Amino acid sequence: MSTQYNTESEALFLAATDGALSRSTYLVLALCQQMLAGGVIFGWQALLPVLYDYGVFAESCKGTDEAYPCLKMRSKLALVFSIAGSANAIGGMVAGLIMDKLGPRIARMFSSLIVLAGSLMLAYAGPESIMWFPGLACMGFGGNGIQITSFHISNLFPGNEKLVVSLIAGAFAASASLFTLMRLLHDACGWDMRTLFMAYCGICTAVFLTSSVWPDKPFTSPEDLEPIPQNSEEDIIREARSE
């Protein structure tokens, strides 16, 4: 006998399992959150001129004859990014563990909260503050968690899973442009570092709040649904006669 998925299972699969949002809404929300808080740290290079103007680690240049920004200053800023990049990789593993144990909603809210905490640290970090290191690291740590908890959305689009995964990865990469936007706001509007990152804290808060609509369990693919046998014509006739 051939098999097929019953319409009830398909309905549960194609719609949100919690019954709150459609699959298209989940996808749009995932992409927007990715672009706003996913791989923001990878635009660090674009923010460096703003950091130079702000004088981040400028004390390292005292007593040297080098042109500003000096090598020590640039080395410290590079170290900030290196630590954040490592935290980004670790964040993906931690988010995966939380997702397996507690579900994607908790993992996503946790990750977005870490990004918010990191942006708050950077908003209040002084030019010589040590907070630049944990601040950017938190943004990297949580950003990858947001990406990891987005991939299961592809299971809502049977036959187009690879396309959805590509869109999610592309949105993650596109989020690096946020630091470029911060630089433009600094140059054009004169926003200082605190104003820039406090504004970004508002964005992170929105990401955190909208993460609460994420499902408690990952969406599964059609292959994971339990197939039911399709009655053959002989079975239907036999059942009708027995009645």
Side-chain angles (χ1 to χ4, degrees):
M1 291 185 295
S2 61
T3 61
Q4 67 175 4
Y5 296 103
N6 61 20
T7 55
E8 182 180 1
S9 295
E10 289 177 350
L12 290 173
F13 166 70
L14 293 176
T17 53
D18 286 340
L21 302 174
S22 67
R23 59 176 185 168
S24 298
T25 304
Y26 272 114
L27 177 60
V28 171
L29 185 59
L31 295 179
C32 289
Q33 290 179 337
Q34 282 285 94
M35 288 189 287
L36 293 174
V40 179
I41 65 165
F42 295 105
W44 182 247
Q45 188 71 25
L47 194 64
L48 288 180
V50 181
L51 301 177
Y52 296 154
D53 290 344
Y54 189 54
V56 179
F57 303 132
E59 290 291 324
S60 303
C61 296
K62 287 188 175 180
T64 65
D65 297 329
E66 298 179 46
Y68 185 85
C70 64
L71 178 60
K72 287 184 178 180
M73 179 182 179
R74 287 184 280 115
S75 296
K76 282 188 176 181
L77 290 172
L79 181 60
V80 171
F81 176 75
S82 297
I83 293 174
S86 299
N88 182 263
I90 297 172
M93 293 186 289
V94 174
L97 291 173
I98 297 175
M99 186 172 171
D100 286 340
K101 298 294 183 180
L102 303 175
R105 176 184 296 170
I106 299 300
R108 196 174 188 85
M109 294 186 72
F110 168 77
S111 298
S112 57
L113 186 61
I114 293 297
V115 176
L116 174 59
S119 61
L120 276 173
M121 291 182 195
L122 296 185
Y124 287 96
E128 299 299 325
S129 175
I130 195 68
M131 299 302 289
W132 291 99
F133 292 94
L136 195 69
C138 283
M139 292 181 67
F141 184 95
N144 201 12
I146 293 175
Q147 177 177 230
I148 293 298
T149 56
S150 296
F151 285 132
H152 68 104
I153 296 297
S154 63
N155 290 327
L156 293 176
F157 297 85
N160 296 295
E161 295 92 343
K162 295 180 177 62
L163 173 61
V164 174
V165 170
S166 298
L167 289 173
I168 292 172
F172 180 86
S175 65
S177 62
L178 276 176
F179 277 164
T180 301
L181 178 60
M182 287 186 179
R183 178 180 175 180
L184 293 175
L185 288 172
H186 172 268
D187 294 342
C189 303
W191 289 18
D192 59 15
M193 292 297 297
R194 178 164 297 183
T195 303
L196 289 170
F197 278 101
M198 285 304 295
Y200 184 65
C201 284
I203 294 175
C204 293
T205 300
V207 172
F208 171 74
L209 294 176
T210 54
S211 295
S212 63
V213 303
W214 229 239
D216 289 324
K217 295 181 180 180
F219 296 119
T220 55
S221 64
E223 290 77 11
D224 296 327
L225 296 174
E226 183 179 355
I228 61 173
Q230 180 182 13
N231 291 334
S232 64
E233 184 177 351
E234 292 79 4
D235 294 330
I236 296 174
I237 294 174
R238 191 181 302 111
E239 290 177 4
R241 289 176 176 175
S242 64
E243 293 177 356

